[in-house]
Amino acid sequence: MSGDSELGFTEHLFKVLVIGDHKVGKTSFVKRYVKNLFYEELKTTIGVDFSMKVIDWDGHTRVRLQLWDIAGQERVRGLNRVYFKRSSGALVVYDVTNGSTLDGALNWKDELDGQVMLKNGRPIPAVLLANKCDETKVCRRNASLLEKLCQEKGFIGWFQTSAKENINVDEATKFLVKHILQNNEESVKEEEQNMQINLKQQSKSSSTCC
Ligand SMILES: Nc1nc2c(ncn2[C@@H]2O[C@H](COP(=O)(O)OP(=O)(O)OP(=O)(O)O)[C@@H](O)[C@H]2O)c(=O)[nH]1
């Protein structure tokens, strides 16, 4: 959703999903990003938690980011179709200390692509987050595996992150928002082009009429 504010800002409201398996650090990532806080102990998310962050992107663009932190268990419960609707992008999180959560992240990405897409049929931008990197850094071999997975699965990129140590939290989110804004610009252009084509066709058919 986009519009012009009275102050001359273009305002955008984007819904961003934060998805991944149980305990990989989704809520921690959001809390670090929005409030710059970290907790060693957190209650398990039930259903979905919402947070909002307002970003002054540049001198004339303001982005309201609505973050949907979806409980890891929700994939099992199959309620994602409801949560994924009208989302503009996704942060797909796994825990570097728990290898099976990478498979989980790839499954989340498959589900996402099966349920939501851009107007032009392409997948919505998604970034893969290798979280808890304060515990073990992603080694070079794993880095090339992640590159490969990103290409195969259509992630726009990956970051090693730590919600605990505040590593790459802003950077990864900014990277995603940049892509969302680009997609938004492209779809506005496509709509304008389609409108012009329609107008041309209408004026052609009215001039040849009778
Ligand atoms: N070392 C380390 N621990 C983390 C990090 N991020 C989260 N944790 C810890 O991991 C545990 C789970 O974090 P949550 O943020 O609740 O995970 P979640 O993915 O939201 O979990 P669900 O709500 O069950 O889906 C907590 O004990 C956090 O303190 C991190 O970057 N590094």
Side-chain angles (χ1 to χ4, degrees):
M1 216 194 299
S2 308
D4 291 322
S5 78
E6 285 169 9
L7 301 169
F9 272 102
T10 304
E11 295 218 340
H12 301 277
L13 174 66
F14 295 135
K15 170 179 169 182
V16 166
L17 303 170
V18 186
I19 51 181
D21 281 354
H22 185 45
K23 294 274 169 222
V24 294
K26 301 176 294 296
T27 304
S28 302
F29 186 91
V30 172
K31 288 208 182 304
R32 173 61 80 190
Y33 180 60
V34 175
K35 297 189 172 151
N36 201 16
L37 293 173
F38 178 78
Y39 302 93
E40 291 289 345
E41 295 293 329
L42 273 171
K43 277 194 233 145
T44 296
T45 306
I46 309 285
V48 57
D49 270 352
F50 305 100
S51 303
M52 178 74 95
K53 170 112 170 178
V54 181
I55 312 166
D56 282 328
W57 187 257
D58 53 30
H60 47 86
T61 312
R62 180 172 291 157
V63 175
R64 289 177 193 279
L65 217 57
Q66 194 182 59
L67 296 149
W68 286 49
D69 167 17
I70 297 174
Q73 292 150 335
E74 289 300 298
R75 192 159 61 82
V76 184
R77 290 180 51 197
L79 287 172
N80 296 333
R81 189 178 294 273
V82 182
Y83 297 138
F84 288 1
K85 252 188 189 172
R86 295 203 183 88
S87 42
S88 301
L91 297 164
V92 187
V93 189
Y94 83 95
D95 172 350
V96 289
T97 67
N98 179 353
S100 73
T101 63
L102 177 56
D103 295 330
L106 303 182
N107 290 334
W108 278 93
K109 175 72 165 86
D110 285 343
E111 285 204 16
L112 182 69
D113 291 347
Q115 290 178 27
V116 57
M117 61 179 74
L118 298 172
K119 280 184 191 153
N120 59 16
R122 290 208 313 264
I124 63 164
V127 179
L128 180 63
L129 304 184
N131 193 42
K132 305 194 189 179
C133 76
D134 53 284
E135 300 253 1
T136 58
K137 295 271 186 263
V138 172
C139 66
R140 194 180 291 181
R141 194 169 62 87
N142 283 349
S144 58
L145 169 73
L146 290 172
E147 289 291 341
K148 195 166 155 262
L149 285 178
C150 280
Q151 283 185 0
E152 280 172 12
K153 289 284 181 179
F155 286 99
I156 57 170
W158 69 276
F159 285 79
Q160 50 180 338
T161 60
S162 166
K164 184 173 183 176
E165 304 284 332
N166 198 6
I167 299 170
N168 280 338
V169 173
D170 282 353
E171 290 79 355
T173 315
K174 199 170 175 190
F175 180 75
L176 178 65
V177 173
K178 195 174 107 192
H179 279 261
I180 295 175
L181 282 167
Q182 277 168 1
N183 284 337
N184 199 59
E185 233 172 76
E186 277 170 23
S187 84
V188 169
K189 273 189 197 148
E190 273 170 30
E191 270 174 30
E192 281 172 359
Q193 278 169 355
N194 286 341
M195 224 150 61
Q196 279 176 355
I197 292 170
N198 281 345
L199 283 173
K200 270 187 193 159
Q201 279 173 345
Q202 272 175 12
S203 70
K204 239 189 201 173
S205 61
S206 61
S207 66
T208 53
C209 165
C210 316

